[in-house]
Amino acid sequence: MTVPSFHIDHVHQPDQGPIVGILDSQARLPGIVRMRDWAREALRVRPGETALDVGSGTGSEVVEFARLVGESGRAVGVDPNPSMLRVARERSAGEPVEFLEGSAYELPLEDSSVDVVRCERVYQHLDDPAKATAEVARVLAPGGRVVLIDSDWSTSIMHPGDPEIFEALRALLTTASPNRNSGRRLRGLLTGAGLVVDDLGSEAVVWDPEGVAPMYAAVMARGVAAGAITEQQREQVLAEFDRGVAAGDYHFSVTMFAVLAHKP
C-alpha cells in the first residue's frame, strides 16, 4: 500500500481520487473546521478585497473567500496540480472564483496585488518554506494579512500501541520529510520574511478511525520496507489498533498551529 504524495515535486499524479478522498475526509474533522473558522475570523476578509488560497486543493476555501469578498472582490486559488485544479473548477462551477496553476515558490500574481493570503497544510510538504514565505510577502499589499496553518507531526499521539514502535516510525517519517514539524516554524518564517506577527492559534486535531486506518496501514508497510520495524511488530500494532477501535479505546491526534501576520 502506498500513500498519495502531496510533495510539491510529485503532484502530477493521474489518479486524484485517493487524494481528494483524504482532503474531503479531513475537511469534516471538527478540529479542522474549528481551525478554518479561526483563520477566517482572524483574517477579517472584507468586500472588494483580493483573497488568495495557496495550495487550494479541492477549492472549498476559495469559495468561502468569494462569499466574503463579494462581487467587487477577487477570490483566487493557486495549486501546482492540474488534476486537482480540474476538480476544484468542477466543484465550484458557477461561483465567482479563479484557479491558477502555480507553485508556492512562484505565485502567478503581481507584487503587492493581494490583500489576504491563507495557506493550510502546505508547508509540511515543502523543502524550502522560507522561499514560499518570501513569495507570500511579495504578493501581499502593504497592510495585507496572511494566515499560515500547518501540522507539527512530532506532537502526534497514537493509542493503543507500543510506544517504542511508534517512536521508530516517527523517526523514519521525520527523516523522510525534512519539514514534518513545520507548525512550530511558521512564526519564525513569517518574521524572517519581514512580516509582523499578530496572533497565534492551535488545535489538537483528533482523527476518526476510518480516516486514520489507511494511513496506519501504509506507514506500517513503509516501516517494514525500511527495516524500522519487523513484520511481527506491524501485525501487532494493526491488531491493537483494530481491538482499540472495536472497544472504543482509541486515539489519534496531531497538533496544528496557525499564525496570523500582516505586511507593514
Side-chain angles (χ1 to χ4, degrees):
M1 180 180 294
T2 59
V3 180
S5 176
F6 290 87
H7 190 283
I8 195 167
D9 294 329
H10 305 143
V11 296
H12 298 285
Q13 303 170 62
D15 181 11
Q16 290 305 303
I19 291 180
V20 171
I22 290 171
L23 294 176
D24 286 345
S25 174
Q26 293 177 356
R28 293 189 292 268
L29 295 175
I32 298 291
V33 172
R34 286 191 291 269
M35 183 61 79
R36 289 181 172 181
D37 287 345
W38 181 92
R40 292 192 203 105
E41 182 177 352
L43 286 169
R44 306 184 317 279
V45 183
R46 296 183 286 267
E49 291 190 316
T50 294
L52 169 66
D53 188 17
V54 178
S56 50
T58 62
S60 59
E61 291 303 296
V62 182
V63 173
E64 287 294 324
F65 271 160
R67 178 179 61 83
L68 295 170
V69 301
E71 294 182 0
S72 60
R74 184 185 182 197
V76 183
V78 170
D79 201 282
N81 189 331
S83 299
M84 188 63 72
L85 288 169
R86 184 165 56 251
V87 172
R89 289 170 181 141
E90 290 172 354
R91 290 189 172 191
S92 62
E95 299 284 352
V97 296
E98 302 172 49
F99 290 100
L100 306 176
E101 183 175 346
S103 164
Y105 302 136
E106 297 181 9
L107 296 172
L109 294 152
E110 296 181 359
D111 296 359
S112 303
S113 62
V114 177
D115 301 295
V116 174
V117 176
R118 76 178 297 277
C119 185
E120 178 189 324
R121 287 178 294 164
V122 170
Y123 273 50
Q124 61 187 292
H125 307 294
L126 300 179
D127 295 315
D128 194 348
K131 183 176 180 179
T133 313
E135 271 294 274
V136 169
R138 179 185 67 80
V139 302
L140 270 180
R145 294 92 66 202
V146 55
V147 163
L148 301 183
I149 304 172
D150 226 304
S151 307
D152 196 304
W153 286 94
S154 288
T155 67
S156 60
I157 299 172
M158 295 167 274
H159 170 80
D162 186 332
E164 291 186 5
I165 296 176
F166 288 140
E167 283 303 316
L169 291 168
R170 186 178 287 115
L172 169 68
L173 294 174
T174 299
T175 302
S177 177
N179 206 28
R180 289 183 60 80
N181 296 332
S182 56
R184 70 187 65 181
R185 298 189 59 203
L186 299 178
R187 181 176 192 163
L189 287 164
L190 289 165
T191 301
L195 304 178
V196 178
V197 171
D198 299 302
D199 200 0
L200 299 94
S202 65
E203 179 78 30
V205 178
V206 180
W207 292 37
D208 296 326
E210 296 79 10
V212 80
M215 183 183 70
Y216 254 56
V219 170
M220 296 300 161
R222 186 183 300 175
V224 172
I229 62 173
T230 65
E231 176 64 25
Q232 182 179 2
Q233 288 175 318
R234 183 191 75 85
E235 293 178 357
Q236 173 189 332
V237 170
L238 293 178
E240 290 174 345
F241 173 84
D242 289 340
R243 286 195 295 270
V245 171
D249 181 17
Y250 154 85
H251 180 90
F252 179 87
S253 67
V254 61
T255 303
M256 290 174 57
F257 296 95
V259 184
L260 170 71
H262 74 272
K263 184 174 182 177

